[in-house]
């Protein structure tokens, strides 16, 4: 009998930690993706959670082992700790494990030095999900689609509220699934008596496609949705087409200074526009192409009311920077599925470009702890 030349790799061990950031119901690994990974030889432990959108039992049913929440700190060092959001800000203890998460510490964010120092002090390693990129240098997984999807939902809800109700729009909660959200929006549009006209800029991107998908699912006819991307804006703004629409949803990825899409003067004049959803949410960026407002909004207070010289039409702006949290189940499922092919390469991560580049970036960022001007 021939002897197999395949080396037997030790199983990759993933440890899904419970999220501690308030209001975070999403998960980096869905039960469906865990099932695929386990079939591929992975061993997965999942911390019990009372906040995660997936029940503990859903993970157990696909073969994950449940462990107490927060117990990753005592996990054996060959466990790779997987999470989504930052670790609690007040912690300073060294981090000896390999972590996969969005650590938000590579761009000089508040507290970046403390976070990176924890890794270097513990001899740990960070694979930051924001910088896990394929050969074309595109992120392997991002939450953009459901950011646009949720942003469009807030926009339509806000517009319907203007037609149907008095007073401020109520706070927004999260939805157990998208069907519930869609049904609610359909009823609101029906009560409003007509479909809104919607303008999406950045329509070809992740957020833009999500915004269009939501609008279509809510029953807005395709001819009511104006879909613009870089080709349509290259002549330079501002654009009359934006104030001709009822709802403007901005989904562009801003990289350079561009002329504004809309100005305060346009808001003062005659317009149909009564809702702006800035999914890109760059209110403090000096290149922000929507210079009509300057503060983010929240799920509790989703809309800013702009004061304009046009007293006939209200103008509300939504600028929530964590929109995917509104649909934690679908957002997590899609993210985890996008991440799956890269996760499968973890057993050979020292040869896989995505992981190699992410590790090199981590070491380069750690080197800037002493010399911040070099990289942050
Ligand atoms: N609010 C939130 O919760 C949230 C969540 C995720 C992402 N975002 C933000 O949304 C933005 C878009 O992210 P994405 O993942 O969809 O990016 P993406 O790269 O997938 O898509 C961006 C699109 O914008 C287009 N674009 C760029 N400049 C343009 C211009 N001047 N005119 C017209 N179109 C232009 C691009 O061609 C592309 O199609 C980013 O700023 C991202 O940080 C926000």
């Amino acid at each position: 009998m021939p002897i197999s030349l395949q080396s037997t790799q030790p199983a990759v061990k993933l440890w899904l930690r419970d999220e501690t950031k308030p209001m975070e119901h999403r998960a980096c690994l869905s039960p469906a993706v865990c099932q695929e990974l386990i079939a591929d030889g992975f061993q997965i432990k999942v911390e019990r959670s009372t906040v995660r959108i997936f029940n503990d039992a859903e993970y157990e049913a696909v073969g994950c082992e449940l462990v107490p929440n927060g117990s990753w700190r005592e996990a054996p060092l060959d466990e790779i700790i997987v999470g989504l959001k930052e670790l609690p800000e007040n912690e300073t203890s060294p981090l000896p494990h390999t972590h996969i998460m969005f650590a938000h510490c590579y761009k000089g964010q508040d507290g970046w030095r403390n976070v990176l120092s924890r890794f270097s002090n513990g001899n740990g390693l960070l694979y930051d999900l924001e910088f896990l990129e394929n050969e074309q240098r595109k992120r392997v997984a991002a939450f953009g689609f459901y950011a646009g999807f949720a942003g469009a939902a807030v926009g339509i809800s806000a517009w319907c509220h203007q037609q149907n109700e008095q007073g401020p729009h109520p706070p927004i909660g999260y939805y157990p699934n998208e069907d519930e959200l869609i049904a609610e929006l359909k009823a609101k549009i029906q009560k409003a008596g007509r479909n809104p006209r919607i303008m999406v800029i950045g329509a070809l991107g992740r957020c833009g496609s999500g915004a269009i998908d939501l609008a279509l699912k809510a029953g807005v006819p395709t001819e009511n949705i104006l879909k613009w991307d870089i080709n349509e804006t290259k002549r330079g703004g501002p654009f009359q087409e934006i104030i001709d629409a009822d709802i403007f949803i901005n989904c562009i990825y801003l990289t350079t200074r561009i002329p504004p899409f809309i100005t305060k003067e346009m808001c003062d004049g005659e317009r149909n526009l009564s809702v702006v959803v800035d999914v890109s949410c760059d209110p403090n960026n000096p290149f922000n192409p929507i210079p009509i407002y300057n503060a983010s909004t929240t799920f509790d207070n989703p809309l800013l009311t702009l004061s304009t010289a046009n007293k006939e039409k209200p103008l509300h702006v939504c600028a929530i920077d964590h929109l995917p949290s509104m649909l934690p189940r679908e957002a997590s499922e899609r993210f985890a599925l996008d991440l799956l092919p890269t996760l499968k390469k973890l057993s050979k991560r020292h040869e896989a470009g995505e992981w190699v580049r992410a590790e090199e970036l981590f070491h380069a960022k750690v080197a800037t702890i002493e010399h911040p001007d070099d990289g942050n």
Side-chain angles (χ1 to χ4, degrees):
M1 197 169 174
I3 297 169
S4 166
L5 293 176
Q6 267 191 330
S7 63
T8 44
Q9 297 268 359
V12 177
K13 297 179 185 173
L14 300 182
W15 186 293
L16 181 65
R17 64 174 163 81
D18 188 20
E19 297 290 334
T20 49
K21 198 163 176 172
M23 302 300 294
E24 187 54 79
H25 305 287
R26 292 174 293 168
C28 187
L29 302 176
S30 63
V33 156
C34 287
Q35 186 169 25
E36 286 226 25
L37 291 171
I38 290 168
D40 221 45
F42 282 59
Q43 293 175 9
I44 307 183
K45 295 192 178 61
V46 173
E47 291 189 3
R48 292 180 188 276
S49 173
T50 52
V51 294
R52 198 186 286 130
I53 191 70
F54 305 108
N55 299 329
D56 296 344
E58 294 181 71
Y59 289 100
E60 204 171 23
V62 298
C64 301
E65 183 187 334
L66 296 178
V67 291
N69 73 334
S71 56
W72 63 268
R73 293 171 179 83
E74 289 83 45
L77 291 185
D78 60 346
E79 296 280 355
I80 300 177
I81 315 299
V82 183
L84 219 44
K85 302 309 284 248
E86 305 92 311
L87 301 170
E89 275 170 24
N90 53 359
E91 290 184 8
T92 52
S93 55
L95 295 170
H97 292 94
T98 294
H99 286 251
I100 299 174
M101 66 167 156
F102 288 101
H104 299 298
C105 64
Y106 285 180
K107 297 184 200 156
Q109 291 98 326
D110 288 348
W112 70 271
R113 191 181 269 114
N114 170 45
V115 180
L116 277 175
S117 302
R118 293 186 70 191
F119 282 98
S120 62
N121 293 342
N123 256 331
L125 170 62
L126 167 66
Y127 291 118
D128 196 305
L129 288 164
E130 192 179 345
F131 301 90
L132 207 51
E133 295 177 337
N134 64 17
E135 298 305 319
Q136 291 75 44
R137 302 295 188 270
K138 287 207 86 172
R139 272 175 64 177
V140 300
F143 279 100
F145 183 89
Y146 274 99
F149 196 94
V154 178
I156 292 175
S157 178
W159 179 82
C160 291
H161 191 84
Q162 292 169 347
Q163 322 304 310
N164 299 338
E165 320 288 342
Q166 303 286 321
H169 191 286
I172 293 169
Y174 76 91
Y175 287 75
N177 57 64
E178 72 175 50
D179 293 348
E180 225 169 270
L181 172 64
I182 302 288
E184 197 179 286
L185 288 176
K186 281 186 170 169
K188 287 181 180 174
I189 294 175
Q190 192 174 24
K191 191 170 175 194
R194 74 170 174 92
N195 280 296
R197 275 159 302 148
I198 302 177
M199 164 104 179
V200 179
I201 304 191
L204 298 178
R206 280 182 284 247
C207 294
S209 346
I212 294 165
D213 192 55
L214 176 285
L216 292 172
K217 282 183 172 156
V220 178
T222 189
E223 61 271 19
N224 275 35
I225 309 169
L226 193 55
K227 308 164 187 95
W228 277 19
D229 205 90
I230 201 95
N231 270 339
E232 289 78 13
T233 63
K234 67 181 174 214
R235 68 183 141 104
F239 302 110
Q240 174 71 28
E241 289 87 340
I242 292 178
I243 58 166
D244 288 346
D246 297 305
I247 303 172
F248 166 42
I249 307 174
N250 178 42
C251 294
I252 73 160
Y253 194 91
L254 184 65
T255 48
T256 53
R257 182 183 292 278
I258 50 172
F261 289 161
I262 180 172
T263 62
K264 283 193 171 119
E265 292 68 39
M266 289 164 78
C267 300
D268 284 334
E270 199 162 314
R271 58 184 156 79
N272 289 320
L273 186 75
S274 58
V275 176
V276 174
V277 182
D278 194 2
V279 176
S280 306
C281 206
D282 284 314
N284 301 317
N285 189 317
F287 305 158
N288 174 23
I290 312 182
I292 59 171
Y293 79 103
N294 53 20
S296 297
T297 62
T298 61
F299 283 123
D300 280 345
N301 263 315
L303 301 170
L304 294 169
T305 304
L306 298 195
S307 163
T308 73
N310 180 342
K311 301 297 171 202
E312 308 289 304
K313 273 269 175 205
L315 187 53
H316 291 123
V317 177
C318 165
I320 299 175
D321 64 8
H322 51 293
L323 283 163
S325 305
M326 194 173 157
L327 282 165
R329 178 170 287 273
E330 287 85 355
S332 305
E333 280 169 347
R334 192 179 181 110
F335 182 85
L337 213 52
D338 289 347
L339 192 59
L340 178 63
T342 307
L343 289 172
K344 283 189 172 179
K345 296 182 191 170
L346 268 173
S347 57
K348 296 191 175 146
R349 59 184 174 278
H350 301 299
E351 299 160 23
E354 296 93 322
W355 298 110
V356 170
R357 282 188 294 277
E359 181 166 352
E360 285 169 358
L361 184 63
F362 165 74
H363 290 302
K365 291 294 177 184
V366 165
T368 67
I369 294 174
E370 298 301 324
H371 306 283
D373 292 343
D374 294 349
N376 274 294

